[in-house]
Amino acid sequence: MNNAMARNSEMPKLNPVAMESLILNRLASVGQKPVADAMGVDEAMVSRWKTGQISNFCKFLAELGIQLAPPDAVLVRRDYLFSMETLAEIGMKAERMRPEPLGFS
């Protein structure tokens, strides 16, 4: 079946700089003190992490193929998404072939 959408089956490259930005923005909104308290470290330690440690950790995660996602994100596997696109495409094709629109017979 020809797919109407161009599907890229290649895994996307993870961007450590984008990950670092996400972490730093979240840290700015939450604050260093609550994070330090939760981890049982001094607030100054969290501040020091911002100058290199977070960047290195993001590179580490990217190399392992692990990506960050905000808590409100919904993550699905690539093959699942392709399957859902295929089912939607089949349904739309069947609907276009219908002699009358649904509910108007």
Side-chain angles (χ1 to χ4, degrees), residues 6-19:
R7 295 183 182 163
N8 184 0
S9 60
E10 251 183 64
M11 292 299 292
K13 298 289 184 204
L14 298 177
N15 183 346
V17 174
M19 283 191 235

Side-chain angles (χ1 to χ4, degrees), residues 17-30:
V17 174
M19 283 191 235
E20 181 180 8
S21 177
L22 178 64
I23 290 172
L24 293 175
N25 286 336
R26 186 73 178 149
L27 181 60
S29 69
V30 170

Side-chain angles (χ1 to χ4, degrees), residues 94-102 104:
E95 187 59 30
R96 283 191 297 270
M97 293 173 68
R98 182 183 290 278
E100 296 177 7
L102 274 176
F104 296 102

Side-chain angles (χ1 to χ4, degrees), residues 85-97:
E85 288 174 344
T86 300
L87 289 173
E89 193 174 290
I90 290 168
M92 291 303 294
K93 186 179 285 186
E95 187 59 30
R96 283 191 297 270
M97 293 173 68

Side-chain angles (χ1 to χ4, degrees), residues 5-75:
M5 291 185 232
R7 295 183 182 163
N8 184 0
S9 60
E10 251 183 64
M11 292 299 292
K13 298 289 184 204
L14 298 177
N15 183 346
V17 174
M19 283 191 235
E20 181 180 8
S21 177
L22 178 64
I23 290 172
L24 293 175
N25 286 336
R26 186 73 178 149
L27 181 60
S29 69
V30 170
Q32 290 180 184
K33 179 137 180 57
V35 173
D37 291 345
M39 297 188 68
V41 298
D42 189 59
E43 191 175 347
M45 176 71 77
V46 175
S47 182
R48 283 193 295 274
W49 289 342
K50 294 190 309 184
T51 60
Q53 294 300 322
I54 292 174
S55 175
N56 287 336
F57 186 67
C58 291
K59 290 174 188 173
F60 174 73
L61 290 177
E63 190 59 36
L64 292 176
I66 298 172
Q67 77 181 54
L68 302 173
D72 60 344
V74 177
L75 306 176

